[in-house]
Amino acid sequence: MGEQGPGGDKKTGKTAKKVTGKRAAAKKAVTAERTVVAKKAVVAKKALGTRKAEAVATGKRVAVKKTAPVKKVAVKPPAQESRTALVRRARRINRELAEVYPYAHPELDFENPFQLLVATVLSAQTTDLRVNQTTPALFAKYPTPEDLAAANPEEVEEILRPCGFFRAKTRSVIGLSKALTEDFGGEVPGRLEDLVKLPGVGRKTAFVVLGNAYGRPGITVDTHFQRLVRRWRWTEETDPDKIEAAVGALFPKSEWTDLSHHVIWHGRRICHARKPACGACPIAPLCPAYGEGETDPEKAKKLLKYEKGGFPGQRLKPPQAYLDAGGRPAPPLGAA
């Protein structure tokens, strides 16, 4: 190979420098582009997730895993429901329930205020059915406050044993019977302030007696009532007294007693604590909690209790209106 002259060497050097410069510029451009892409990815990642972020940053299509279709449910009331809208919705729910349960009544058997008072005290932490199966023997042996006040506690405990917490309940019913005998002449008082002074009697028990024995309006805030009014977003309160005040403000006072029956009946029959029968609920379109329970109509029907599911109610001696509507009386204690 022949040797190149000085001019040839100089030209070759310039060409090499040019190529190196282009390569450096290209590398710098790629680095800058990658930096921009990375920045876009970080921003997009925060909002869209890793895979979608890459797609946004690079412009490439990335397959996204499909999610299961969302099950359609009834329209829920708006999160910021106005006071007026709440009152209208609450009253409409009560009207609808009144049509479903036109025969709603207290589910404790009683023939006078004294029997209702005692039965309500006994119903704590047990069912009305169990109380109704137990009280016939109690009232047959101790028909008046004077009789129960003078009773042998051990004999009363034996009668009340099926109700659970029978020792504490025995102390309560004997204590309130003594108070009725000594302070009220053996008569159940018809005033809230007097009733709550009796042993074992709180506002809930007092309103049951006032509303159903004396016809004086009151709201009965039992466990069913508390659960349902929160599900319906009538109130977020958890204290029974505050719930009573909040719900009472939504309705005319004259409706309080029947409202209590409607809500409690619905809680026992359809809107259960663990698995509400949403698919069989007559007020589903008005309920913010629709979908918490079984929404399939056929499956929901199997969850219905008492007369809605073809089963006996809780009273051994229910009102005639209940029987006329197809309701069945409960069996006595020990019946097959």
Side-chain angles (χ1 to χ4, degrees), residues 35-48 53-54 57:
T35 302
V36 172
V37 168
K39 287 181 179 180
K40 287 183 179 180
V42 170
V43 174
K45 183 178 178 181
K46 291 180 181 179
L48 304 173
E54 292 175 359

Side-chain angles (χ1 to χ4, degrees), residues 182-247:
E182 296 170 2
D183 302 333
F184 298 100
E187 298 292 331
V188 176
R191 298 195 313 162
L192 175 65
E193 52 267 38
D194 292 330
L195 284 168
V196 295
K197 293 177 183 177
L198 300 172
V201 179
R203 289 178 68 88
K204 184 195 84 169
T205 298
F207 281 131
V208 170
V209 174
L210 292 174
N212 299 288
Y214 293 114
R216 295 173 186 170
I219 293 178
T220 305
V221 185
D222 72 348
T223 54
H224 299 289
F225 194 95
Q226 292 183 48
R227 180 178 73 253
L228 267 62
V229 298
R230 285 199 294 271
R231 276 182 177 169
W232 296 337
R233 294 186 192 168
W234 288 3
T235 179
E236 294 181 356
E237 299 291 349
T238 56
D239 177 76
D241 291 351
K242 291 181 179 179
I243 291 174
E244 176 196 323
V247 175

Side-chain angles (χ1 to χ4, degrees), residues 156-168:
V156 177
E157 285 179 3
E158 196 57 36
I159 296 174
L160 300 185
R161 187 179 294 272
C163 286
F165 302 96
F166 58 92
R167 291 190 179 90

